[in-house]
Amino acid sequence: MLNFKRIAGLCAISATCAFSAAAQAQADAKAMTIVVPYGAGGIVDNTARAFAQKLAAELGRPVVVENRGGAGGMIGMNTVARAHDENTLAFTAVSPVTLSPHVMKTLYDPLKDLAPVASVMYSPVYLVGGPKFTGKTFQDMLAQAKADPGGLSLATAGVGSLGHLMLEQINGQADVRITHVPYKGMAQMVPDALGGQFTLMLVNASGPVNALIDEGKLTLLAVGSPARLPGRPGTPTLAELGYPMANMTSTFGFFAPASTSPDFRQRMNGLINRIAAMPDISKSLTDALNIMSPGTVEQFTAQVQKEYADNGRIVKQANIRSE
């Protein structure tokens, strides 16, 4: 005798499985968005677009880059924190997660609403003078700053950015007043520096910036790096110059909404690490003097949590506030 209840149950299970498979297929077909919390152009945007092209090939679906600059990266990161889906990632410096929330009020909890996925690289930070800067060395900069308080202006990627923290460390330790000029990212800083909109800037190492230094259009005064850079052996680190608290580098990586599943984050971590190791990706980044920093989700999460705690202490000690 046929068991109609059993048959009905099997049909219901089959229908549910078919629906789940269809829903998964629909999700897989949907475009993935990589949010860049800075303006178009510059090292973050260019790197995100290179990864987007590779991820699209790996996933078999479109991957688009969306620029949402402002507030030291926090506007874009809030978009990711509120996404609540597995079709959104952020590629960013870690400062909107580990630093900016200590300086300004955020609409997201950096450790609860965002989930680290994969570290990609860390980038040395250049302290450079533009055409308006008349000196040649870091010591020249300090001498000018002491002689003319507020007369030198220095651009960073925004209030609460790593560059902002580095500047405050220099101002405080040297007892000078170099005026902060916050931007919505680094892309526009370089052309504005060449146009004389400010005197100095703190900017990540990149191919275009390296070329301008080589051409003599920008003057490299110091680097934020654990050691002197092989490609810039004549340039001292800020630690060597006596400013260890300002001697910082930028870590860049991918984040997801915290609502995403651990399986999703692990899968993305594997894909991102594989893409980062591809010669056409890694060579362009290392040629610009960036250092690749692959690792697990757990390692990146531990790094983010440590930097968050460390930056909180530094900001409190330096009494840094939103401008």
Side-chain angles (χ1 to χ4, degrees):
M1 180 180 291
L2 293 174
N3 187 329
F4 288 103
K5 288 185 177 180
R6 185 169 181 271
I7 292 172
L10 290 172
C11 289
I13 291 171
S14 298
T16 300
C17 290
F19 177 80
S20 297
Q24 184 62 48
Q26 185 177 12
D28 288 344
K30 184 178 179 181
M32 174 175 279
T33 299
I34 298 176
V35 174
V36 172
Y38 311 103
I43 185 173
V44 187
D45 184 54
N46 292 338
T47 304
R49 292 179 188 280
F51 270 85
Q53 184 178 13
K54 298 290 187 182
L55 275 172
E58 293 281 343
L59 296 171
R61 59 174 168 141
V63 179
V64 298
V65 174
E66 182 178 314
N67 298 93
R68 286 183 172 267
M74 293 194 296
I75 291 174
M77 296 309 288
N78 184 59
T79 299
V80 177
R82 303 296 174 222
H84 299 301
D85 62 39
E86 296 194 342
N87 291 304
T88 305
L89 294 172
F91 181 68
T92 180
V94 300
S95 54
V97 179
T98 65
L99 173 57
S100 301
H102 293 296
V103 179
M104 296 183 288
K105 183 178 176 62
T106 65
L107 297 175
Y108 56 89
D109 185 313
L111 300 185
K112 291 182 179 179
D113 296 335
L114 293 162
V117 173
S119 172
V120 171
M121 64 183 181
Y122 71 84
S123 178
V125 180
Y126 288 168
L127 172 59
V128 298
K132 284 184 69 176
F133 181 62
T134 57
K136 297 294 183 184
T137 66
F138 183 84
Q139 290 77 11
D140 291 340
M141 179 193 78
L142 293 184
Q144 291 183 24
K146 288 180 182 293
D148 183 15
L152 295 182
S153 54
L154 184 148
T156 75
V159 174
S161 66
L162 188 76
H164 182 196
L165 185 58
M166 293 171 72
L167 171 61
E168 292 299 337
Q169 292 294 320
I170 293 169
N171 273 341
Q173 186 176 336
D175 193 24
V176 296
R177 184 161 58 86
I178 299 172
T179 302
H180 183 212
V181 182
Y183 273 69
K184 292 184 178 181
M186 296 186 184
Q188 189 58 39
M189 286 166 53
V190 175
D192 281 3
L194 297 176
Q197 298 299 312
F198 45 79
T199 321
L200 308 148
M201 65 179 172
L202 283 159
V203 65
N204 287 109
S206 69
V209 173
N210 284 324
L212 290 168
I213 293 170
D214 292 338
E215 293 166 10
K217 295 178 180 177
L218 296 175
T219 303
L220 183 59
L221 308 179
V223 297
S225 177
R228 291 199 182 199
L229 302 175
R232 302 286 174 192
T235 304
T237 68
L238 285 161
E240 286 181 79
L241 291 166
Y243 294 81
M245 297 298 288
N247 190 49
M248 299 179 177
T249 62
S250 294
T251 298
F252 294 91
F254 285 88
F255 289 80
S259 59
T260 55
S261 68
D263 286 347
F264 170 78
R265 298 196 292 271
Q266 292 289 351
R267 184 162 63 98
M268 289 298 106
N269 176 273
L271 284 174
I272 290 164
N273 281 334
R274 186 159 75 244
I275 291 168
M278 294 178 179
D280 57 334
I281 295 291
S282 62
K283 187 177 186 302
S284 65
L285 295 173
T286 56
D287 281 353
L289 305 183
N290 298 292
I291 295 90
M292 306 305 289
S293 58
T296 65
V297 172
E298 293 76 17
Q299 288 170 332
F300 190 33
T301 300
Q303 178 186 351
V304 167
Q305 291 173 344
K306 183 180 184 303
E307 287 195 25
Y308 180 85
D310 290 347
N311 286 336
R313 287 190 291 270
I314 293 171
V315 167
K316 186 175 181 179
Q317 290 168 3
N319 196 30
I320 297 173
R321 293 288 182 269
S322 175
E323 298 171 359

